[in-house]
Structure formats: C-alpha cells, structure tokens
DNA sequence: TTGAAAGCGCTAACAC
DNA sequence: GTGTTAGCGCTTTCAA
C-alpha cells in the first residue's frame, strides 16, 4: 500500500497534478466542479498530501518549534505505583514548560502553524535539536537547553527566539522575565509592609540565571532597606523541587537552632516554597505567624496550598505567545533588528506572608 | 541567504554529497578524518539538514503527532489581568491534555521521535489535522477532536491511535480508560464503606463518552446496592469546569431545599468537584460531614484542595506513553491486528468522602 | 481556469 | 570508505 500521490489523484480525476495541487493550496482558484472531482478522487484513494514534499517544494513547513529542558529521565521506570508518586511532584515541576507549550500552541494555531516540541537531548549531529531545526520555520528555545554553539549555527538559517534567561546570543530575538524586579518587589513588601528584618533566601543551582536574577533582586531590596546584604543565597538547591524545598527548610531551621531563626524565607521558586510549607507544618512551625514563606512563578498550586503562597507571578503562557509573535514577525521581515523583550511580573500577596 | 545544501557542504569539504549525507545519518560509516572535514564545512556554512528533503527521500519523518481538542478559543483576548483569571481555571481544565502531551513527548523521545501537537480546528482540506497527518509517521487523536470521516481517510495512509472514548473506527488501535469500572468502585465505596444511600450524580454533556461511561458505572453500583437507579444524571454540566461545578452544586442544594438533600454528590470530573467544594464552603455546608463529594481524573489539584478530594485516578500520562507504544509497534508491523487497550484506574480515597 | 516541466535537498542503491 | 545516479511528491513558473 504505497501512498497515493498527486499523480494518482490527477489521473483518477482527469486533471493535471498542478490542478490537484491548487485544490489543496488555493481552492478558489479552481472551478468548483473540478475541485469536487479532485476531492472525491482524493477521498476515495485515501490521499494525504505529503508535508515533506510540500515543504521541500515551497521551502516552508507551517510548523514552529520549541525546545525545552529535559526535566525527567525519559528512561526512568514508570512502574504502576511509582507513577502516582512521580506524577505528583513532577507535575508541579513541569508546569512551567507546560504553560509555555500551551501558550505557544495557541498562538501558533492562531497563525496557522502547528507546534513541534522536543525536550533537549545531547547528541551528535543527529541530536533532536537538529531534527527540530530542519522541520520548522522557526523555533523557540528555553534557556540552557541547547548549546550556544549549535544555536549560532542554526540561527544563520532560521529564526530562533531565546526564552527566559539572559541573552546569550545578541543577534537573536529574546524574551525574558523581570526576575530581579519581581523578587525585589517581593522582598520590599516583606520588609516594608510586614516589618520583617531577618530574611533568608534559598536559591537554585549557580547555573540557573533565573534563580540568580531573583537573588540579585533580593539583595537590592536588602541593600535599600539597610539590611545586611548576603553575597550568596543562604542555601542552594540543586533541583528546585518540592523535595529540595523540604530539605532546605529543615536545614535552615536546624542551623538556626538555639539562635534566632529567620522571620521569612524567600524561595527561588514555588515548588521549593511548597515543599517548605510541608516541612514547617511537620515541625509545628506556623506560617505566616512564626515565619513567612514566599515563592516565585505563580504556578496554580501556589494559590491552592494552605496557607496559600505569596509569590511572584510569571506570565508563562504569555512567554509562549510572545515567542510566537516574535517568530512570525521575523519570518515576515528577516532583516529587522533583534528584539529583546522583558515581560513584567507581579507580586501576588497571599496568606503565607501574612496578607490575604 | 539561501540555505546551504549538501552540495555546498560537499564542495567545501571536497567530498561527494553522499558522504555528507552519511555523516549525518550514520557517522561511523565515514572515516573520522573525512567526517571532521565535513562537519567543519557544515559548521562554517551554517548548514542544517532539511527535514523535508530527508523525509521525502526516506519516506519517514521521525515525528509523531497528537491532535487534541481545542479547549479555549485561541482568538480570545489575553488582556493583562484577564490572563490571571483565565490561567487559573483553565490550567485545571487543560491538565488533562498536558499530561498526555508530556507522556507522549517522553515516550517519543525515548524512541528518537519528536512530537508535533495541534489542537483540532475545523476547516477545509487544509485543516490542521491534514497538516499534521502529512508531517508525521503516525499520530494519536483524542476522542471527539477529528471527524471520523477524516480519520477513515487518513488512517489508510498512516497509523492512528484513538485515545479516551469509545472505539469509533474498529480497525484502528485504541486506548481507553476504565471509566465505568472506576466510577462503580467509587460509588460502591460510598455506599458500602460509608453507608450512604442518597447519592446524586452530576454528569457532563451528553456527547462526552467519558462522562457517560462514568454515569453507567454509577448506575451499576446503585443497582447492585438496591438503590434507586436514575436513568439520567441528576444534573448535567456543559463544560465540566470549576465554574459549572459551583453552579451545579448550588442548583442541587437549592433543589433539595426543604427536602432531604443528598448525602453525596459524585461529579463526572475533578474540576467540577473542586468548584463544588467552593460552593459548599460558601454556603456553610461541611464536607464530608454534611455531604460527601467525589471527582474523577486525579488531577494534581485534587490532593491539594481542602478537603482533599476523593477521586478516581486516571493514568493520563500513561495514556500518552501507551499511545506511542502502539504507534511504534504498528510502524514496525503494519499488518498486525488492531489493538484495543483498557487502562485501569484506581480509586483514591481522601478526605472529601470521609476517609483520610 | 488549467497544463507542462523544472526543480526543491535529500536518501538509497549500486558501483567503484 | 566513497562517488554516481535516480528518484521521493510536491510547488512553481510559464504557457496555453
């Protein structure tokens, strides 16, 4: 059963292949009667136009791409019970990219594009990135997922927009989120509105530009308020997961045993903050009465947990939408100057800091 | 800047185009020295292999697809503040497909495939579905997203697996979830273990096969227990959203005013149940003391809300993984008999029914 | 409105 | 290990 082609459809409907092609590309340019004949023939043959052939001939794909980090080991066992656990924590972890995917998918669809997604995977010339690059009209890359070197090469052939994280390649379009501003606002709120003075910050790995920017915002707020300015987070987590949040919260309290413990812990993201909430509840430390806790991201869970989490809301979905916008623009005008957007964030005051 | 091709790379590195091709397809079949020359040339030219050309020549794409329903109007305004609201409710709504996407993406990656996703969109010959179909080696379709007629045609040219929902086309691979069994177990639990006898069921639209199957499970449990068997849900929601859950919960209580109200309300999904929790709290009706509430799906929020929600956990991510498995199998053996899987679900007992 | 012919950039046999 | 040569199935001029 080798797939029918334009030739088969043309023959069966008594027209030329050019006409068959027109029917799919621009139906109105074909007489209605002819068109119906072609469509009938196509249906009865089970004809599906080859995207590859179309793409090759027209030099476009109608597809946009997204490369995001590989959060979880794809080879991990997915045992029956193991899954329940895994899904629970990890669903929070991945919400971030889920939202971006969703935003991109929608915006892409609005422009008539489909979305090709692939988590990054190191590899030779045949890496997934290369595959994606060859199959799309342009794509977005989350920070730290593709070697800069590869992006350099690929970006010479098609539009790439870099998402979240510092601008690594300055001739590329780029979108980031006001991490530093957001954390500064948040810390200011804690200091000014709640009068807290002993703050602690739990960061992420040193390579996480987001976590670093948030820490800088925290530093600025401390400096402004005349509080001691740490030059390193009080603690760093490798994974920024709930589990790590629990661990770091425990560590922080243990460390403070006997001395005055912090009045607030600012976590570099929501997942950790939520993990910390569990740890604190377990230890009988009341939030926000005994200690305030804040996160960053504004994932849906943050408003559901008890106490609800004060956080900084990132417009993740909008990130995806803007990414598509930039790609579409650049596709239309490849010569325009590189654009760099900084998306605003907003502090969401809830119970865990003593508001709401 | 017309993109460089194998010819350019071949010329620049002094080899034939076949060798260039080999370097990307099967690096080990080329002498290391030659390979490096080719790779260098490619890098300096900014060469990216054309997925279209490769696909056309090799008759494969290395991409799997997923078509899912269009939950939200892509043309909807995404105003600054509007988004916060939208994201809140809708993040719950879409978790379902998010999980499937995630499961598919992972499994696909494990097999060296990328994933092309597109929400369904009605349209002429140029519908998104057609686009997807032409660009993948096989794809999965969520129930009710693509006209059966289209699937008939397309399935003659490439593997399709249908997800969730009854098997509409019997020569296709198909995966469903044990909706009926799950709801029956859940209702049994309420009846037997908690001794409840006045139950109410809130369903979804008549066209939702999942909601219907769940209702059937509910009916069976009633029948078994000698309780009155309704032949229609007590109430139906059009959207199965939190908002509808609130509305239906209110309606149910209003309707029962003066008479005995139900001892338990079983909702056809978690979102509605969670909405109902809000409504009940607002009205001062205690859950589970005054009334038990249950959902279906096992979305992450279900264990976070207070009281935590008793529900039936669907293995959504596994659905995605199994879908990839079926596609891979069928790709390897197109002649094998159609497979139909029924994924088991499990009742998760939590606070909202009086457990945990 | 429709047809004829020339590629699009690659892979796959098959030679060497 | 490497080169030659046909296509893969479509879109795109250019004519008619």
């Amino acid at each position: 059963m080798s797939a029918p082609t334009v030739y088969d459809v043309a023959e069966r409907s008594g027209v030329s292949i050019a006409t068959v092609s027109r029917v799919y590309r621009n139906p109105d340019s074909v007489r209605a009667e002819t068109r119906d004949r072609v469509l009938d023939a196509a249906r009865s043959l089970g004809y599906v136009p080859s995207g590859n052939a179309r793409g090759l001939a027209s030099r476009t794909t109608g597809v946009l791409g997204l490369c995001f980090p590989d959060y979880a080991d794809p080879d991990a066992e997915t045992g029956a019970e193991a899954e329940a656990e895994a899904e629970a924590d990890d669903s929070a972890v991945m919400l971030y990219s889920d939202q971006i995917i969703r935003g991109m998918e929608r915006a892409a669809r609005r422009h008539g594009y489909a979305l090709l997604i692939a988590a990054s995977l190191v590899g030779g010339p045949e890496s997934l990135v290369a595959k994606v690059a060859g199959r799309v009209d342009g794509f977005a890359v989350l920070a730290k997922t593709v070697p800069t070197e590869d992006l350099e090469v690929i970006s010479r052939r098609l539009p790439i927009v870099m998402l979240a994280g510092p601008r690594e390649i300055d001739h590329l379009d780029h979108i980031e989120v006001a991490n530093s501003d957001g954390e500064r606002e948040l810390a200011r709120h804690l200091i000014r509105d709640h009068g807290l003075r002993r703050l602690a910050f739990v960061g992420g790995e040193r390579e996480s530009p987001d976590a670093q920017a948030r820490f800088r915002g925290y530093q600025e707020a401390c400096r402004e308020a005349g509080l001691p300015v740490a030059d390193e987070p009080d603690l760093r987590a490798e994974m920024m997961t709930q589990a790590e949040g629990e661990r770091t919260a425990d560590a922080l309290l243990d460390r403070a045993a006997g001395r005055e413990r912090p009045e607030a812990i600012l976590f570099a993201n929501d997942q950790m903050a939520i993990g910390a909430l569990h740890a604190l509840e377990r230890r009988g430390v009341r939030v926000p009465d005994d200690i305030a806790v804040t996160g960053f991201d504004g994932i849906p869970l943050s408003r559901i947990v008890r106490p609800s989490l004060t956080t900084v809301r990132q417009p993740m979905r909008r990130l995806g939408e803007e990414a598509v916008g930039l790609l579409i623009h650049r596709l239309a005008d490849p010569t325009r100057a590189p654009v760099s957007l900084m998306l605003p964030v907003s502090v969401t005051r809830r119970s865990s800091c003593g508001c709401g």
Side-chain angles (χ1 to χ4, degrees), chain A:
Chain A
M1 88 174 200
S2 92
T5 71
V6 273
Y7 290 94
D8 302 314
V9 178
E11 185 177 14
R12 175 135 184 173
S13 53
V15 300
S16 74
I17 60 164
T19 298
V20 176
S21 175
R22 287 195 190 94
V23 167
Y24 283 88
R25 236 166 345 102
N26 185 4
D28 295 332
S29 70
V30 176
R31 188 153 39 99
E33 188 203 327
T34 314
R35 191 192 335 158
D36 292 343
R37 268 216 323 283
V38 170
L39 252 16
D40 279 349
R43 234 183 321 266
S44 71
L45 288 170
Y47 170 71
V48 177
S50 155
N52 284 325
R54 307 183 80 165
L56 182 54
S58 66
R59 301 143 154 294
T60 64
T61 64
V63 177
L64 297 179
L66 171 65
C67 293
F68 54 95
D70 176 25
Y71 290 112
D73 179 4
D75 291 315
E77 279 310 311
T78 325
E81 344 66 40
E83 190 185 356
E85 288 309 313
E87 200 154 291
D89 190 45
D90 181 281
S91 61
V93 177
M94 289 192 61
L95 274 172
Y96 187 83
S97 52
D98 281 348
Q99 302 251 42
I100 294 178
I101 291 173
R102 194 182 305 169
M104 279 197 77
E105 194 282 325
R106 265 192 212 182
R109 178 151 39 97
R110 199 155 52 215
H111 291 280
Y113 285 87
L115 184 67
L116 183 65
I117 62 176
S120 62
L121 204 57
V122 289
E126 266 314 82
S127 68
L128 262 194
V129 189
K131 173 178 294 179
V132 171
R135 305 205 139 281
V136 300
D137 291 339
F139 66 104
V141 187
L142 252 69
K144 297 274 141 206
T145 59
V146 178
T148 308
E149 184 195 4
D150 292 357
L151 292 182
E152 277 292 7
V153 175
I154 298 173
S155 67
R156 292 163 55 190
R157 306 274 62 102
L158 47 82
I160 298 181
V161 42
M162 307 211 42
L163 303 185
R167 183 175 207 161
E168 289 181 347
I169 304 181
D170 52 357
H171 62 270
L172 296 190
D173 290 334
H174 166 248
I175 309 180
E176 67 187 320
V177 156
N179 283 300
S180 176
D181 293 354
E183 192 75 42
R184 191 185 54 232
E185 287 307 312
L186 180 60
R188 272 186 190 155
H189 168 63
L190 260 24
I191 296 168
R192 288 213 296 240
D193 303 340
H194 292 291
L196 307 181
R197 307 197 62 77
R198 285 197 311 286
L199 310 182
F201 186 93
V202 176
E205 48 182 304
R206 221 170 237 93
E207 284 71 39
S208 164
D210 286 342
Q212 290 291 52
R214 290 166 198 174
F215 179 60
R216 281 198 305 281
Y218 166 75
Q219 289 176 308
E220 291 170 25
C222 291
R223 190 173 301 121
E224 284 174 7
L227 298 180
V229 180
D231 44 73
E232 278 289 306
D234 295 75
L235 229 41
R236 283 181 187 282
E238 283 307 303
M239 301 286 297
M240 309 224 281
T241 59
Q242 285 195 33
E244 281 286 84
E246 291 203 43
R247 190 185 63 72
T248 51
D250 274 329
L252 229 38
L253 292 197
D254 291 343
R255 178 194 290 184
R259 295 177 295 152
E260 282 181 322
R261 70 176 164 218
E263 295 167 322
I265 312 181
L266 296 82
F267 288 87
N269 76 359
D270 285 349
Q271 288 102 54
M272 290 197 293
I274 290 169
L277 254 21
H278 295 325
L280 294 171
E281 181 176 14
R282 175 167 34 76
R283 298 174 72 120
V285 178
R286 293 166 309 163
V287 177
D289 302 325
D290 298 334
I291 194 167
V293 168
T294 66
F296 202 113
D297 279 348
I299 63 175
L301 267 68
S302 66
R303 47 167 219 141
I304 310 281
V305 286
R306 292 305 144 192
S308 61
L309 188 67
T310 290
T311 185
V312 178
R313 193 174 163 283
Q314 285 207 63
M316 316 196 211
R317 194 158 73 196
R318 200 173 142 216
L319 202 63
E321 288 168 348
E322 297 285 353
V324 169
L326 289 185
L327 288 173
I328 298 285
H329 270 125
R330 182 148 310 281
L331 250 11
D333 175 12
T335 66
R336 77 175 196 157
V339 174
S340 186
L341 300 181
M342 166 91 81
L343 299 187
V345 299
S346 53
V347 173
T348 301
R349 304 176 182 185
R350 291 197 280 231
S351 308
S352 70
C353 72
C355 290

